[in-house]
Amino acid sequence: MFESAELGHKLDKKTYAKEAAALRADLLDMQYDVKMASRFSVVVLINGVEGAGKGETANLLNAWMDPRHIETHAFPAPSDEELERPPMWRFWRAMPPRGKIGIFVGNWYTDPIVARVSGRIKNAALTVAIDDILRFEKMLTDEGVLVLKFWFHLSKKAQEKRLKSLEKDPKTRWRVTKRDWKLFEDYDHYVDVSEHVLRETSTGAAPWTVVDGTDENYRTISVTRHLLDTVRARLKQKEDKRKKASIAPFERSLDGRDLINTLDLKQALSKKKYETELEKLEARLNLLARDPRFKSQSLIAVFEGNDAAGKGGSIRRITGSLDARWYDIVPVAAPTEEERAHTYLWRFWRNLPRHGRINIFDRSWYGRVLVERVEGFCSEADWMRAYSEINDFENQLHRNGTIVVKFWLAISAEEQLKRFKEREKTRFKRFKITPEDWRNRDKWDAYEMAVCDMVDRTSTEIAPWTLVEANDKYFARIKVMKTLCDRLEAGLK
Amino acid sequence: MFESAELGHKLDKKTYAKEAAALRADLLDMQYDVKMASRFSVVVLINGVEGAGKGETANLLNAWMDPRHIETHAFPAPSDEELERPPMWRFWRAMPPRGKIGIFVGNWYTDPIVARVSGRIKNAALTVAIDDILRFEKMLTDEGVLVLKFWFHLSKKAQEKRLKSLEKDPKTRWRVTKRDWKLFEDYDHYVDVSEHVLRETSTGAAPWTVVDGTDENYRTISVTRHLLDTVRARLKQKEDKRKKASIAPFERSLDGRDLINTLDLKQALSKKKYETELEKLEARLNLLARDPRFKSQSLIAVFEGNDAAGKGGSIRRITGSLDARWYDIVPVAAPTEEERAHTYLWRFWRNLPRHGRINIFDRSWYGRVLVERVEGFCSEADWMRAYSEINDFENQLHRNGTIVVKFWLAISAEEQLKRFKEREKTRFKRFKITPEDWRNRDKWDAYEMAVCDMVDRTSTEIAPWTLVEANDKYFARIKVMKTLCDRLEAGLK
């Protein structure tokens, strides 16, 4: 993989000067086209061996283009706020919005490679890490992010020479650290592991570009030209004419039975029984939330359900037993301008709880496979891939010690009609009912099938769905509280 | 101040039940009016002695209203990301957007009071803290935030009784900590200091409401009724018809001389001299940015100036000598949806650098007293108060060890015209020139006077303005670089 990069490519000064002048103008032009179009963001990953020009290239890109529309990130030791979220959180928060270029010097490749070289992880864990990266980058490119990956290579001999010459010059001495020499000792191992990772992660949508770092002129021109050409090609691409979803993908089972229509919605609880149970569960939940083990974990409760199924009421029963300082409720409505400028899951990533805290999502990332699917707000390809993206997301939460509890609150069409009519009559509930709610009823069957699909595809052992029979509010609330307590208790480590 | 709150107010169960039922419905109604109007946010501060029902009230407000539109915050030990910014940063990031209610259990009053009681600070420092709070809250209320401040009081005897009874009940025992008993010992001192603080901070726009915490029923009804009445009164207020600024406030000095028109714009440097100087300054800046002392400080450079005065070019000379991983450039254009939902300075607070980092603002918080003033985008009252709000802001940065360097790049009208024409001809500079730029030229005099006002009112010893004669780019860039180096060097502690 690094053979060509060890040929010792060079570019003479004159050719360089000529190329550079033209490229700089073109890059600025391109950058403003990206900004004006604001159709996609550009993520530039910079990796490679030490001394091969990683930092210099980041600086150069900032110097040649307008640095006001470039965000350059390095990722030194994570802050405590970062340590309390899944490892990818720090990268999510650094993602550039559409129209901008983000340069990541050090990124999601750094830790797996370094960990493998140092022996901190074995091959199996590396394979898992590679899988995670592949799925993450696929998500990025599927969402329209242009991902460019540069690997800066140096032969062992060239690296030694480079480090020594950097050390000699008082101006650049600070760039060479003890860690760099330690890494140099591991050169062969480092290159082996890297080659493996590069091979496994060079995909059609986000291939690696290996750069010969020996000659600065050659390196500079090859990187900038590749960046320019790739972005230009992308700018020329016509916008995806996103196809509207049809109802076609919904297929009833042969006998017409599904997860939802086989629920026994008649289940009910007496008021007295409800009150006794609720009090017990409230005490239990309060106790669990104060469990010392929970201080290094967190809890996410997701509420989805038919309109008027009682999500708000169930949430209030949960919060009723918690101290208001322990939780946040995240109502999920239309995304804001900033959220729309990022990939779909960004707005959920930005709302992850810190350790010891509980975030309750009133509607959630499942919007894409529910309302967006049924209403045709996204293409079939989009909602189809959302299932696995969501599973990845929840898996990352799980590995981070976050307990994810998901509820679908189901009511019958008749019960919903009754509630809608009640709402229209009650002063402080009127706001809860909109013309859209009435329209959604026309698509009852489509929603039902979308829900069944969703449950089939995203109910995992780490984050299972709980279907809640919600025609009777008492029954529903107790089932929610009990499930939440059970899952929280089981999830404490 | 606490006399009435020690009378031992009570409310019988029956009256309470009746009042509570009506209030709950009204509160929900009110909350949705706030949400629908989205004209202002509500900030509820909860302070007082331990055991007087602070936490209970936060919980109750969440229980009686829709918790999905309430954000409840407590402020335990700050995270490292918080410690690297001014102390108020954690409150800024918790501020609710318009249409929402934020409950702050513990807030900007907590630390000054506790610090004074514990003897960590003296009266003089407390006076400074009170001044800071007064100005901060004035800014909030001037910006339309509705600030409600509740002080929960208990007599010494009642507090002792309360703490003991909480301790007795296994369900509430966890609420009483050793710290609470320690605070109890300091009761008299605590109440003295608090009374002083309350008296000094009870302003017309944000008065304190002292709540007798003894009887839960009485406490609950009085807090919720006050909240309801205050918000309702605010909802009834007609929206401020903001008056357009007139040109009237601009007054030429008698002799027509001002800070800008007395600048010697002829100053220039030869290319050779420029290159020699620049190289030296680049090395110096790079060295300063790597000074070990800088690891616990940060730098903010602010660029304002006439259109086409060369802000971008000056910024690129700075970044040219820095590693791209050390700085962020914050281009300030139209605020986003989320930014518009907050007070004016919020979008700058959210972009403060961490320790060891440099943020460069390409345009800044001075927009309010420049373009917004001249174009009449805000009222005279708004931009007049902005001067002191900005000084407060920069003072907080200064106290946090952030070095603030501010540049006004001045060119003559003739030079600007020349540059505009050049820009229209150059392919990759065309984007830089808009019809608005041409329009702004018509208001040259108004802008000039606004700049002079701004400098007079916001050039402080901790954050002075540097006026840069920028007709000659070389001269301007060297002056910027030199000033930046000098200020950074002088600011390192």
Side-chain angles (χ1 to χ4, degrees), chain A residues 239-486:
Chain A
E239 187 88 58
D240 252 15
K241 291 277 171 267
R242 305 216 150 176
K243 281 178 214 143
K244 295 270 165 171
S246 63
I247 296 297
F250 295 113
E251 252 180 70
R252 281 255 174 233
S253 61
L254 289 176
D255 60 1
R257 286 158 51 87
D258 67 32
L259 289 169
I260 296 296
N261 67 20
T262 54
L263 289 175
D264 176 9
L265 295 181
K266 291 206 194 75
Q267 292 176 89
L269 276 187
S270 70
K271 189 175 181 190
K272 205 182 145 194
K273 178 101 178 147
Y274 164 72
E275 281 168 354
T276 328
E277 285 286 310
L278 184 63
E279 201 183 345
K280 270 190 253 169
L281 287 165
E282 281 178 336
R284 190 175 157 212
L285 181 58
N286 185 289
L287 213 64
L288 284 165
R290 287 185 287 115
D291 190 294
R293 288 172 293 177
F294 189 59
K295 284 200 168 48
S296 54
Q297 293 188 251
S298 51
L299 173 67
I300 288 180
V302 170
F303 281 85
E304 294 282 357
N306 300 115
D307 292 327
K311 291 189 292 292
S314 294
I315 291 172
R316 272 198 296 283
R317 294 315 164 293
I318 296 174
T319 57
S321 55
L322 298 172
D323 192 290
R325 289 163 284 189
W326 302 341
Y327 61 81
D328 283 312
I329 303 177
V330 186
V332 175
T336 66
E337 195 178 323
E338 286 174 56
E339 289 169 344
R340 287 192 304 272
H342 285 90
T343 52
Y344 179 67
L345 286 174
W346 188 78
R347 62 193 185 117
F348 307 108
W349 274 93
R350 76 191 296 216
N351 279 304
L352 296 187
R354 296 190 59 175
H355 279 172
R357 296 190 56 84
I358 297 164
N359 278 15
I360 301 170
F361 285 83
D362 182 6
R363 303 203 186 272
S364 70
W365 43 93
Y366 285 97
R368 178 146 278 189
V369 298
L370 294 171
V371 58
E372 290 195 32
R373 172 184 180 184
V374 173
E375 305 291 339
F377 297 154
C378 67
S379 72
E380 184 173 343
D382 284 339
W383 59 258
M384 274 304 290
R385 68 183 163 80
Y387 294 120
S388 57
E389 289 169 10
I390 287 171
N391 285 338
D392 282 346
F393 175 42
E394 294 177 358
N395 190 27
Q396 289 187 62
L397 291 170
H398 169 72
R399 287 191 302 204
N400 186 53
T402 305
I403 299 152
V404 181
V405 192
K406 306 183 295 201
F407 297 103
W408 175 265
L409 272 58
I411 52 173
S412 64
E414 302 74 46
E415 178 64 24
Q416 189 185 56
L417 188 64
K418 208 178 100 197
R419 292 190 186 178
F420 277 13
K421 285 185 175 162
E422 266 166 29
R423 284 185 173 187
E424 288 189 320
K425 275 188 289 187
T426 313
R427 189 172 58 126
F428 61 88
K429 281 189 174 169
R430 264 177 327 203
F431 68 86
K432 283 187 168 182
I433 181 104
T434 65
E436 206 189 317
D437 293 327
W438 287 106
R439 274 198 304 275
N440 287 345
R441 280 178 62 79
D442 298 339
K443 298 188 177 154
W444 188 275
D445 282 359
Y447 272 102
E448 182 173 311
M449 280 181 280
V451 173
C452 294
D453 255 18
M454 168 185 85
V455 173
D456 280 337
R457 290 172 190 275
T458 61
S459 204
T460 58
E461 80 285 9
I462 53 166
W465 277 100
T466 299
L467 302 178
V468 181
E469 302 82 352
N471 267 9
D472 179 75
K473 286 186 177 181
Y474 294 151
F475 179 86
R477 289 171 187 172
I478 294 299
K479 184 162 179 179
V480 165
M481 283 289 280
K482 192 171 176 316
T483 307
L484 195 73
C485 287
D486 289 349

Side-chain angles (χ1 to χ4, degrees), chain A residues 192-209:
Chain A
D192 276 355
V193 172
S194 304
E195 185 162 22
H196 171 70
V197 171
L198 262 64
R199 204 173 47 236
E200 297 281 333
T201 56
S202 223
T203 59
W208 279 98
T209 304

Side-chain angles (χ1 to χ4, degrees), chain A residues 59 68 79-81 324 338 362, chain B residues 59 68 79-81 324 362:
Chain A
N59 290 336
R68 289 174 292 186
S79 72
D80 49 12
E81 296 193 23
E338 286 174 56
D362 182 6
Chain B
N59 290 336
R68 288 174 293 185
S79 72
D80 50 10
E81 296 193 21
D362 183 6

Side-chain angles (χ1 to χ4, degrees), chain B residues 67-138:
Chain B
R68 288 174 293 185
H69 307 297
I70 300 178
E71 297 169 356
T72 306
H73 300 280
F75 297 91
S79 72
D80 50 10
E81 296 193 21
E82 289 171 338
L83 285 171
E84 295 183 15
R85 271 91 167 197
M88 292 302 288
W89 191 71
R90 58 201 318 231
F91 303 119
W92 276 93
R93 71 199 292 224
M95 281 292 161
R98 284 195 197 103
K100 281 221 178 195
I101 297 175
I103 298 178
F104 290 67
V105 191
N107 42 57
W108 43 89
Y109 285 100
T110 313
D111 192 57
I113 292 177
V114 171
R116 183 66 199 100
V117 174
S118 71
R120 181 152 50 83
I121 63 169
K122 300 245 188 273
N123 274 334
L126 183 63
T127 303
V128 172
I130 288 172
D131 268 11
D132 288 346
I133 287 175
L134 282 172
R135 287 197 305 274
F136 176 65
E137 289 183 358
K138 181 165 187 322

Side-chain angles (χ1 to χ4, degrees), chain A residues 47-54 151-155 159 187 190-191:
Chain A
N47 294 74
V49 307
E50 294 307 308
K54 291 185 289 186
W151 185 270
F152 289 78
H153 185 73
L154 274 185
S155 67
Q159 191 186 23
Y187 179 94
Y190 185 80
V191 167

Side-chain angles (χ1 to χ4, degrees), chain B residues 173-445:
Chain B
R173 188 176 299 151
W174 60 278
R175 286 185 196 262
V176 184
T177 62
K178 270 188 197 157
R179 195 176 147 273
D180 294 329
W181 282 114
K182 175 79 192 67
L183 283 174
F184 175 72
E185 278 173 35
D186 289 334
Y187 180 93
D188 294 324
H189 193 189
Y190 186 79
V191 166
D192 277 356
V193 172
S194 303
E195 185 162 22
H196 171 72
V197 172
L198 260 65
R199 204 173 47 237
E200 297 280 334
T201 56
S202 222
T203 58
W208 279 99
T209 304
V210 177
V211 180
D212 180 350
T214 328
D215 179 65
E216 195 179 333
N217 290 349
Y218 186 87
R219 181 180 80 206
T220 301
I221 299 300
S222 57
V223 169
T224 49
R225 174 161 302 290
H226 181 71
L227 174 65
L228 179 68
D229 291 347
T230 314
V231 178
R232 270 190 177 167
R234 175 60 186 273
L235 281 165
K236 269 192 206 130
Q237 263 176 40
K238 288 251 172 78
E239 187 88 59
D240 252 15
K241 290 278 169 267
R242 307 217 147 177
K243 282 177 213 143
K244 293 272 165 169
S246 64
I247 297 298
F250 294 113
E251 251 180 71
R252 282 255 174 231
S253 60
L254 291 175
D255 62 358
R257 285 159 51 87
D258 67 33
L259 289 169
I260 297 297
N261 66 21
T262 54
L263 288 174
D264 176 9
L265 296 181
K266 291 204 195 75
Q267 293 176 87
L269 276 186
S270 70
K271 189 175 179 188
K272 206 183 143 192
K273 177 103 178 145
Y274 164 71
E275 280 169 355
T276 327
E277 285 287 309
L278 184 65
E279 201 184 344
K280 271 190 251 168
L281 287 165
E282 282 179 336
R284 190 174 156 212
L285 180 59
N286 185 289
L287 214 63
L288 283 166
R290 286 184 288 114
D291 189 295
R293 289 171 294 176
F294 190 59
K295 283 201 167 51
S296 53
Q297 293 188 252
S298 51
L299 173 67
I300 287 181
V302 171
F303 281 85
E304 296 282 356
N306 300 115
D307 292 327
K311 291 188 293 292
S314 294
I315 291 172
R316 272 199 295 284
R317 293 316 163 293
I318 296 176
T319 57
S321 56
L322 298 173
D323 192 290
R325 289 162 284 190
W326 302 342
Y327 62 80
D328 282 313
I329 303 176
V330 186
V332 174
T336 67
E337 195 179 323
E338 286 173 54
E339 289 168 345
R340 287 193 305 271
H342 285 89
T343 52
Y344 179 68
L345 287 173
W346 186 79
R347 63 196 187 115
F348 307 109
W349 274 93
R350 75 192 296 217
N351 279 305
L352 297 187
R354 294 191 60 175
H355 279 172
R357 296 192 55 85
I358 297 164
N359 278 15
I360 302 170
F361 285 83
D362 183 6
R363 304 202 186 273
S364 70
W365 42 94
Y366 285 97
R368 177 146 279 190
V369 299
L370 295 170
V371 58
E372 290 195 32
R373 173 184 180 185
V374 173
E375 304 292 339
F377 295 156
C378 65
S379 72
E380 184 175 343
D382 283 340
W383 58 257
M384 272 306 290
R385 67 183 165 79
Y387 295 120
S388 58
E389 289 170 10
I390 287 171
N391 285 338
D392 282 346
F393 175 44
E394 293 177 0
N395 190 25
Q396 290 187 60
L397 292 170
H398 170 71
R399 288 191 302 204
N400 187 53
T402 304
I403 298 152
V404 181
V405 192
K406 305 182 295 198
F407 298 102
W408 175 265
L409 271 59
I411 53 173
S412 63
E414 302 73 47
E415 177 64 23
Q416 190 186 54
L417 186 65
K418 205 179 102 197
R419 292 191 188 176
F420 277 12
K421 286 185 175 164
E422 266 166 29
R423 284 187 173 185
E424 288 190 321
K425 275 187 291 188
T426 313
R427 187 173 58 123
F428 62 87
K429 282 189 175 168
R430 262 176 329 201
F431 68 88
K432 285 189 168 182
I433 182 102
T434 65
E436 207 189 317
D437 293 327
W438 287 105
R439 274 197 305 275
N440 287 345
R441 279 177 62 81
D442 297 338
K443 299 189 176 154
W444 188 274
D445 282 359

